[in-house]
Amino acid sequence: MSKSRQPIDWYRMAIEGFVIVASILLAFAIDAWWDQLQEVRDANDQVARVGSELRANVALLKTQDHLLEDTTQAAREFLSMMGPDVDSVSTQDVGLMFARIYGVGTLSLSKSASQDFLSSGQLTANRWVDIRLSLAELLSEVRQAESSSLELRQMRPRMLEQLHGSVSGLDVVRMHPVMVDYPASRFASSVSTLLSDMAFESLIANYAIRMELNRVNARRLLEKHLVAIDLIESGN
């Protein structure tokens, strides 16, 4: 006698299929949520590093601004000393003035954290877009300012060459790294010749103008750094 076949429980199979599909979809949703959460955490970590980098740059830019103010003023004072009547100017005065003129270093700001954040492609929605745009614009101006600062430094050898045969005993200047290859013994003592040299006056004037432009760059960069910091802190 043949056994009777059990009827198929379609309702039960439908429930089991639904549970399986729902479990798979839930697993995908959890994975996506976790990935997004991890992405946000990574982005926040990167932005925190960017914030620290920007604040360090702010301190450097404030120092650079003060140095450029003093060196520009020194160049103007030196220009006021130049002319046919220079009897009251001593070699020591010239040395001290040049120590001030060469008292500012080449601008070099930290950029690695900002570059890493931009290259990572982290989050492109809401406030992150504003931060990314601000950083991209900031980095572009940093490169321009650093290039301008380097051009300023590259003017110094020409000025030093003009000093040959004019001034001796520049003890203060001689201690500066730029001047280390120019010992006092290589200069003839003639302050009046130097201060009446129109070519040298032109070099100093151009140098003063370049320093003023570098100061404008430093101040603009300082403002943009502060704006970027505000954007970062407003989202925390």
Side-chain angles (χ1 to χ4, degrees), residues 199-223:
F200 189 69
E201 182 178 10
S202 177
L203 287 174
I204 294 293
N206 190 20
Y207 190 75
I209 293 171
R210 292 294 185 92
M211 282 193 292
E212 187 62 40
L213 292 175
N214 272 262
R215 190 180 180 203
V216 171
N217 290 336
R219 288 184 167 185
R220 184 169 59 245
L221 278 179
L222 178 59
E223 293 176 359

Side-chain angles (χ1 to χ4, degrees), residues 41-87:
R41 288 176 176 173
D42 291 344
N44 282 328
D45 289 343
Q46 287 199 24
V47 169
R49 290 193 291 273
V50 170
S52 298
E53 179 177 84
L54 295 179
R55 282 185 283 273
N57 284 346
V58 165
L60 288 174
L61 287 167
K62 288 181 178 179
T63 300
Q64 188 80 351
D65 179 46
H66 292 318
L67 289 174
L68 284 168
E69 180 181 16
D70 184 64
T71 53
T72 303
Q73 182 60 30
R76 289 172 177 166
E77 292 174 11
F78 190 87
L79 287 171
S80 70
M81 292 163 47
M82 301 190 74
D85 185 15
V86 294
D87 294 337

Side-chain angles (χ1 to χ4, degrees), residues 29-174:
I30 292 174
D31 285 343
W33 170 80
W34 178 256
D35 289 343
Q36 185 178 19
L37 180 62
Q38 191 62 42
E39 183 182 13
V40 171
R41 288 176 176 173
D42 291 344
N44 282 328
D45 289 343
Q46 287 199 24
V47 169
R49 290 193 291 273
V50 170
S52 298
E53 179 177 84
L54 295 179
R55 282 185 283 273
N57 284 346
V58 165
L60 288 174
L61 287 167
K62 288 181 178 179
T63 300
Q64 188 80 351
D65 179 46
H66 292 318
L67 289 174
L68 284 168
E69 180 181 16
D70 184 64
T71 53
T72 303
Q73 182 60 30
R76 289 172 177 166
E77 292 174 11
F78 190 87
L79 287 171
S80 70
M81 292 163 47
M82 301 190 74
D85 185 15
V86 294
D87 294 337
S88 61
V89 181
S90 68
T91 302
Q92 183 180 10
D93 291 336
V94 175
L96 290 171
M97 194 66 69
F98 264 89
R100 288 177 60 195
I101 290 175
Y102 286 126
V104 61
T106 304
L107 181 66
S108 180
L109 300 177
S110 298
K111 302 178 285 292
S112 59
S114 299
Q115 290 172 336
D116 290 344
F117 178 73
L118 290 176
S119 63
S120 69
Q122 292 283 16
L123 300 179
T124 56
N126 301 325
R127 73 184 184 94
W128 303 100
V129 173
D130 293 334
I131 293 175
R132 292 174 67 86
L133 291 175
S134 178
L135 289 178
E137 182 179 355
L138 179 62
L139 287 179
S140 177
E141 294 207 16
V142 165
R143 295 186 187 97
Q144 293 177 13
E146 289 179 338
S147 177
S148 178
S149 181
L150 181 60
E151 290 174 0
L152 181 67
R153 185 177 183 86
Q154 290 171 341
M155 294 178 64
R156 295 178 181 177
R158 175 76 183 282
M159 295 166 62
L160 297 179
E161 288 295 328
Q162 198 71 23
L163 284 173
H164 278 241
S166 298
V167 177
S168 66
L170 299 183
D171 296 329
V172 177
V173 180
R174 193 155 50 93

